[in-house]
């Protein structure tokens, strides 16, 4: 009979359960079971490259929005000024609409990306990554669980 050694639950819907013979992982896509004899190692990695590329894309998008906002507002200001100076209210309202669109583009902010981490299980010939949001999980709990799995793997492989 298998005894539960350690358990970890994340807010992202990942559940890890370590028993004396197996590692059970439940995610949004289903449950996977890994025999300890097939696991070569386990660790936690931060997905920094993905975070940096998302941050760069956000910066480019915000710069583009600011440029578009400035151009729309400036164009709207010119249209409104020329229209109101000649008492053409339809053109003036059209210009005010462009100013409003420019302000919208200029002030619109995107959601900042978050750093994701992954529990990586190293198997024969491949790795399996199980991602979680680092902000929503206590890093100490994850580190303690991974250390417990490593200790169990070391003891398991010594006994074989």
């Amino acid at each position: 009979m298998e005894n539960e050694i350690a358990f970890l639950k994340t807010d992202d819907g990942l559940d890890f359960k370590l028993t004396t013979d197996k590692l059970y992982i439940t995610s949004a896509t289903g449950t996977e079971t890994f025999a300890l004899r097939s696991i070569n190692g386990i660790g936690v990695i931060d997905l920094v490259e993905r975070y940096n590329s998302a941050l760069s894309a956000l910066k480019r998008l915000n710069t583009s929005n600011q440029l578009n906002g400035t151009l729309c507002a400036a164009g709207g200001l010119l249209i409104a000024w020329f229209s109101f100076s000649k008492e053409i209210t339809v053109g003036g309202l059209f210009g005010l609409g462009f100013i409003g669109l420019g302000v919208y583009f200029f002030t619109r902010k995107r959601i900042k990306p978050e750093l994701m981490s992954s529990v990586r299980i190293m198997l024969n010939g491949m790795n399996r990554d199980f991602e979680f949001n680092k902000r929503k999980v206590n890093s100490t709990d994850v580190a303690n669980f991974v250390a417990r799995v490593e200790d169990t793997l070391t003891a398991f492989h010594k006994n074989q």
Side-chain angles (χ1 to χ4, degrees):
M1 181 171 163
E2 293 181 326
N3 294 328
E4 184 175 319
I5 298 172
F7 186 79
L8 174 67
K9 181 176 180 72
T10 68
D11 290 342
D12 294 341
L14 281 175
D15 294 335
F16 297 89
K17 183 172 96 171
L18 176 65
T19 66
T20 53
D21 293 328
K22 296 178 182 170
L23 177 63
Y24 298 93
I25 301 174
T26 304
S27 66
T29 58
T31 301
E32 295 185 48
T33 305
F34 300 97
L36 292 182
R37 68 179 175 273
S38 67
I39 299 175
N40 295 332
I42 187 170
V44 177
I45 59 170
D46 292 331
L47 305 174
V48 177
E49 288 180 10
R50 185 189 313 172
Y51 174 74
N52 285 339
S53 66
L55 211 53
S56 296
L58 176 70
K59 187 176 179 181
R60 283 191 307 273
L61 185 62
N62 283 340
T63 303
S64 171
N65 281 345
Q66 289 176 350
L67 179 63
N68 289 340
T70 304
L71 291 176
C72 280
L77 190 62
L78 286 174
I79 292 171
W81 185 65
F82 282 125
S83 297
F84 284 136
S85 67
K86 296 179 182 178
E87 296 187 28
I88 303 174
T89 56
V90 174
L93 292 175
F94 190 65
L96 289 176
F98 264 105
I99 292 171
L101 186 64
V103 169
Y104 169 74
F105 273 126
F106 194 77
T107 59
R108 184 171 79 173
K109 297 291 181 196
R110 301 284 181 177
I111 297 172
K112 193 172 182 180
E114 293 183 339
L115 177 63
M116 298 293 285
S117 293
S118 178
V119 173
R120 176 169 283 177
I121 298 175
M122 290 152 265
L123 305 165
N124 292 331
M126 67 180 236
N127 295 331
R128 285 286 288 128
D129 291 340
F130 297 93
E131 292 183 20
F132 62 93
N133 190 333
K134 196 166 190 163
R135 284 180 131 196
K136 296 180 182 178
V137 178
N138 186 353
S139 297
T140 307
D141 292 343
V142 175
N144 289 338
F145 179 80
V146 168
R148 187 66 193 247
V149 172
E150 287 174 340
D151 292 343
T152 304
L153 283 173
T154 302
F156 184 83
H157 288 301
K158 273 187 179 179
N159 291 336
Q160 286 190 343

